Amino acid sequence: MGGGPAGYEAALVAAQHGGDVTVVERDGMGGACVLGDCVPSKTLIASAGVRVELGRAPDLGFTADRDAMGVDLPRVNARVSSLAMAQSADVRARVEREGVRIIKGTAAFAEEPSARGLHAVEARTAGGSSEVLPADVVLVATGATPRVLDDAKPDGERILTWRQLYDLTELPAHLVVVGSGVTGAEFVSAYVEMGARVTLVSSRDRVLPGEDADAAAVLQDVFAERGVEILAQARAESVRRDGDGVVVTLADGRTVTGSHALMTVGSMPNTAELALEKVGITTGRGGFIAVDRVSRTSVPGIYAAGDCTGVLMLASVAAMQGRIAMWHALGEGVMPIKLKTVSAAVFTRPEIATVGISQRAIDAGEVPARTIMLPLSTNPRAKMQGLRRGFVKLFCRPATGVVVGGVVVAPVASELILPIALAVQNGLTVADLAYTFSVYPSLSGSITEAGRQLMRHGDLD
């Protein structure tokens, strides 16, 4: 039920192990991740990054006027949509090659299970036809949708969710972003780099309150340098349309006016229309489906994966949950999901990537660890590229030197986090990193250097 990363990856595993597989997907293979969320947003961010690079040109000896560089937003958005559709088509073709049947429509549990299966799912197409599918195993992978506030309902023109941004024909004159989490920060970064005036309304005391504090501080400084107005500890009470603009009213009575408002206040699981009560599944707080570490629900034969479970709402986690569900259902040997080994990235400029134990847990005394932070300003490759901000941070066990986590802030942090993630996943030590050859010069050299310094400081061999 659902063809996003959890659904299509599960379908591939099941088909490759001889299963008779049907996927029911409403919008297109890849789901919201490919068509409305991850793929479109990262494509937009990649486009905006062109102006970031131009901004560094004078430091490297070239003359360039970034401010004179115009943005053809319809063309940018057309590229976003084109790449999303192409990726969806690629996913569909891959799944169909494995013999998976795809039904374009919605799915819900049927009244009575068929004699041919433990469960029954009713698939309804957009044309109104329906089909009851008997199933021995059901995976619920219906994802989530942007949360909508009663006093800030999107109209698709001036008050927007992040899935509606790609319909804009002109760059917002003044974009007010409500919400300072990952989604909000990414769009603030993209739109300010495309030349829009941006105000960020944050109910917390800083940008990215859930991320590493040192990394968030770097990004906050970057935002301030690029002209972003940050309203900290300012909760938005309402957002209303006012002619060709919007008015955001804050809890303390202040108002913020802009041309557009982007609401990034979380997501809600798509579970209300699944008829879960017919099979005895009760959703938890917020409507999420509770699962264990192998994606089982409380009902035998029914699994759930992805954003509808509320377990680290990342495409990589959704995909792994889906795979694990099918491996378990089909009797294959499977390792339960280990959330402490999940790497994640914030695709701002610079990017922020993390894996494993957090600095917050270390500072709170929850996990004993030794730490080191190396600024990129000391890295020779960073100097060559004119990079002024960023760092590599590494955490290890005090006695053994086993790597338990890390943070990277850099233009390509989403790529640089991989060696640290490999170390965390496989129980490697800082000595393993220290004895590994890194290319000289390279940004990844800071990772091996961090290993050397932790090894030296701890007298590890």
Side-chain angles (χ1 to χ4, degrees):
M1 302 167 74
Y8 76 73
E9 288 289 348
L12 290 172
V13 168
Q16 289 162 359
H17 285 79
D20 179 9
V21 187
T22 300
V23 173
V24 184
E25 164 58 39
R26 180 187 61 189
D27 300 320
M29 291 304 295
C33 172
V34 168
L35 295 169
D37 290 343
C38 189
V39 170
S41 66
K42 277 48 177 181
T43 305
L44 177 72
I45 290 164
S47 297
V50 173
R51 295 185 86 243
V52 179
E53 298 305 312
L54 277 179
R56 297 194 297 110
D59 295 335
L60 302 178
F62 291 85
T63 57
D65 187 353
R66 182 178 65 172
D67 294 333
M69 184 180 182
V71 176
D72 185 344
L73 194 62
R75 189 172 179 179
V76 169
N77 287 338
R79 178 174 179 268
V80 167
S81 299
S82 176
L83 287 178
M85 294 301 294
Q87 180 67 14
S88 178
D90 287 346
V91 172
R92 182 183 184 94
R94 173 77 175 89
V95 170
E96 287 182 330
R97 281 199 302 272
E98 295 296 332
V100 174
R101 181 188 178 197
I102 300 172
I103 297 176
K104 185 172 177 60
T106 58
F109 286 99
E111 288 289 349
E112 296 291 338
S114 163
R116 292 183 292 149
L118 181 62
H119 301 289
V121 172
E122 182 179 13
R124 292 184 175 273
T125 68
S129 63
S130 65
E131 177 183 354
V132 176
L133 307 169
D136 298 306
V137 176
V138 178
L139 176 71
V140 181
T142 48
T145 195
R147 182 182 173 213
V148 173
L149 304 180
D150 290 338
D151 294 324
K153 291 187 177 179
D155 61 10
E157 296 179 355
R158 296 288 170 175
I159 305 174
L160 308 160
T161 70
W162 60 84
R163 293 181 184 172
Q164 297 170 328
L165 282 170
Y166 312 109
D167 294 327
L168 294 178
T169 58
E170 294 182 353
L171 193 69
H174 182 190
L175 179 65
V176 182
V177 178
V178 179
S180 58
V182 172
T183 302
E186 288 184 344
F187 282 111
V188 167
S189 182
Y191 274 87
V192 76
E193 279 307 324
M194 286 194 291
R197 177 187 172 192
V198 179
T199 296
L200 175 61
V201 178
S202 172
S203 63
R204 307 290 286 276
D205 61 349
R206 63 175 172 86
V207 175
L208 297 174
E211 301 295 321
D212 181 85
D214 292 321
V218 171
L219 186 62
Q220 189 144 320
D221 286 346
V222 169
F223 281 176
E225 183 180 271
R226 294 175 183 169
V228 177
E229 181 184 12
I230 301 174
L231 303 180
Q233 295 183 321
R235 185 175 297 276
E237 286 283 306
S238 67
V239 182
R240 62 179 177 83
R241 178 83 174 259
D242 183 20
D244 290 334
V246 296
V247 178
V248 180
T249 301
L250 306 181
D252 60 9
R254 289 180 295 164
T255 60
V256 182
T257 59
S259 62
H260 298 76
L262 171 62
M263 305 302 298
T264 63
V265 289
S267 299
M268 299 294 292
N270 298 324
T271 56
E273 306 298 326
L274 302 181
L276 295 172
E277 68 282 356
K278 292 180 180 178
V279 292
I281 294 178
T282 302
T283 57
R285 182 179 179 182
F288 293 99
I289 300 173
V291 293
D292 64 11
R293 291 177 62 204
V294 292
S295 303
R296 289 179 296 190
T297 69
S298 58
V299 177
I302 300 179
Y303 294 74
D307 288 358
C308 66
T309 69
V311 177
L312 285 186
M313 299 171 82
L314 300 170
S316 59
V317 173
M320 187 60 74
Q321 282 183 294
R323 296 185 199 107
I324 287 173
M326 291 303 101
W327 284 324
H328 184 273
L330 297 171
E332 298 293 321
V334 61
M335 181 181 293
I337 195 166
K338 296 168 63 178
L339 297 180
K340 288 184 179 179
T341 65
V342 174
S343 53
V346 184
F347 289 87
T348 48
R349 293 294 181 116
E351 295 177 353
I352 297 170
T354 57
V355 67
I357 300 301
S358 68
Q359 181 79 64
R360 182 181 299 166
I362 295 170
D363 293 344
E366 299 170 11
V367 180
R370 291 187 295 109
T371 73
I372 194 163
M373 185 167 77
L374 301 181
L376 280 191
S377 59
T378 64
N379 178 288
R381 182 68 182 276
K383 293 175 183 177
M384 296 169 191
Q385 293 179 313
L387 304 178
R388 297 182 291 114
R389 292 190 174 94
F391 60 80
V392 169
K393 191 189 292 190
L394 200 63
F395 313 136
C396 73
R397 294 289 185 189
T400 63
V402 170
V403 178
V404 293
V407 182
V408 179
V409 179
V412 288
S414 56
E415 306 290 346
L416 290 172
I417 199 67
L418 180 60
I420 303 177
L422 282 169
V424 172
Q425 173 73 33
N426 295 285
L428 303 182
T429 68
V430 291
D432 292 321
L433 290 178
Y435 294 139
T436 299
F437 285 94
S438 59
V439 171
Y440 183 88
S442 67
L443 297 183
S444 59
S446 288
I447 297 173
T448 54
E449 174 64 20
R452 284 191 290 273
Q453 293 201 21
L454 280 174
M455 183 176 69
R456 185 187 69 218
H457 290 166
D459 295 322
L460 298 170
D461 190 359

